[in-house]
Amino acid sequence: MPTDAISVLLVEDDEDDYLIMSQLLKEARQSFRVEWHQTLGDGIASLSDNTFDVVILDLTLPDSSGWETFTTMREQAPSLPVILMTGLEDNDLAVQAVHEGAQDYLVKGSVGTDVMVRAIQYAIERKATEADLRRYQDHLEELVHIRTHELEQTNAKLTGEITVRKQTEQSLRQAISQLEEHDRAKTQFVTNVSHELKTPLASMSYAVDNLLKGVMG
C-alpha cells in the first residue's frame, strides 16, 4: 500500500455526498488528499494547476449531465483513471463505462471505506497497467516498423542482385551464341577454302610431277 497521500479530484455537486465520501476516505489506513469541485468546468480547470492520481466523477452535474460528463473529462485528462459515481444502479451503464475507459463504476450510498479504497487503488493500478501495455504495444509497433523497413531493403537488394544475375546470364548466353556462330563461320570458311584450293593444288601437283619426270628423264 502506498505511503504517500493519494491525490483525488472529486467532482460532485451534492455537498452531502462530498462529506460522506470524504469521511469514508478519512477512515482509511491509506492517506488521501481530496480536492472538491461542484461543476465539471471547475474540475477540469483544476487539472492545469494540480496533479491528481484519480478522478471520482458524478455523472449528473449542474453544467453537464449523463455520458457526456465522462467523455468530456476523459478528453481533458486521458491519462487519469476515472471512477464514475451515480445515484442509480444501472448494470448496462456500468458495463459501458468500463468498456469506454472508466476504471470503475460505483453507486452512491452502497460503498463503504474498504470498497472505496480498493476501487481507487484498483483504478490507479489498472490505468498504470494500461499505460504500460500501450508503451509495450508502441515499442512492438516500432520494432515491426524497423524490421519491415529492413526486410524491404533486403528484398530490394536481392531483387537488384537477381536482376544483375539475369542480365549477366543473358550476356553470357549472347557471348556463347556469338562464339558458336563465329566457330561455325570459321569452320565453313575453312571448308570452302579447302574445297576451292583442292583443284588448283591437284593441277599444280600434277604439273610438278611431270616436270620432275622430264628433268629426271
Side-chain angles (χ1 to χ4, degrees), residues 83-192:
I83 298 174
L84 298 182
M85 294 288 293
T86 180
L88 300 175
E89 187 170 352
D90 187 333
N91 291 332
D92 292 336
L93 182 60
V95 171
Q96 181 185 4
V98 175
H99 179 73
E100 294 293 332
Q103 271 57 58
D104 211 335
Y105 177 93
L106 301 177
V107 179
K108 297 177 183 179
S110 64
V111 297
T113 297
D114 291 341
V115 173
M116 178 66 72
V117 171
R118 281 198 300 269
I120 292 174
Q121 292 174 341
Y122 172 74
I124 295 172
E125 291 171 1
R126 181 181 174 188
K127 195 67 175 181
T129 300
E130 290 175 354
D132 289 340
L133 288 175
R134 281 195 298 271
R135 285 192 292 270
Y136 181 67
Q137 183 178 2
D138 292 342
H139 178 62
L140 287 180
E141 290 177 354
E142 179 64 20
L143 290 178
V144 169
H145 176 74
I146 293 174
R147 185 56 179 160
T148 300
H149 180 65
E150 292 175 348
L151 290 175
E152 289 175 349
Q153 289 183 319
T154 301
N155 183 62
K157 182 179 179 181
L158 289 174
T159 300
E161 292 176 351
I162 291 173
T163 299
V164 172
R165 180 177 178 180
K166 288 182 177 179
Q167 292 174 344
T168 302
E169 291 177 350
Q170 183 177 3
S171 298
L172 288 174
R173 285 195 295 270
Q174 291 175 347
I176 291 172
S177 178
Q178 291 174 355
L179 288 174
E180 291 175 344
E181 181 63 27
H182 290 162
D183 186 64
R184 286 192 296 271
K186 182 182 69 176
T187 301
Q188 186 63 39
F189 174 77
V190 172
T191 300
N192 292 339

Side-chain angles (χ1 to χ4, degrees), residues 200-214:
L201 288 176
S203 299
M204 292 176 62
S205 177
Y206 178 76
V208 170
D209 286 343
N210 288 335
L211 180 61
L212 290 175
K213 288 178 180 179

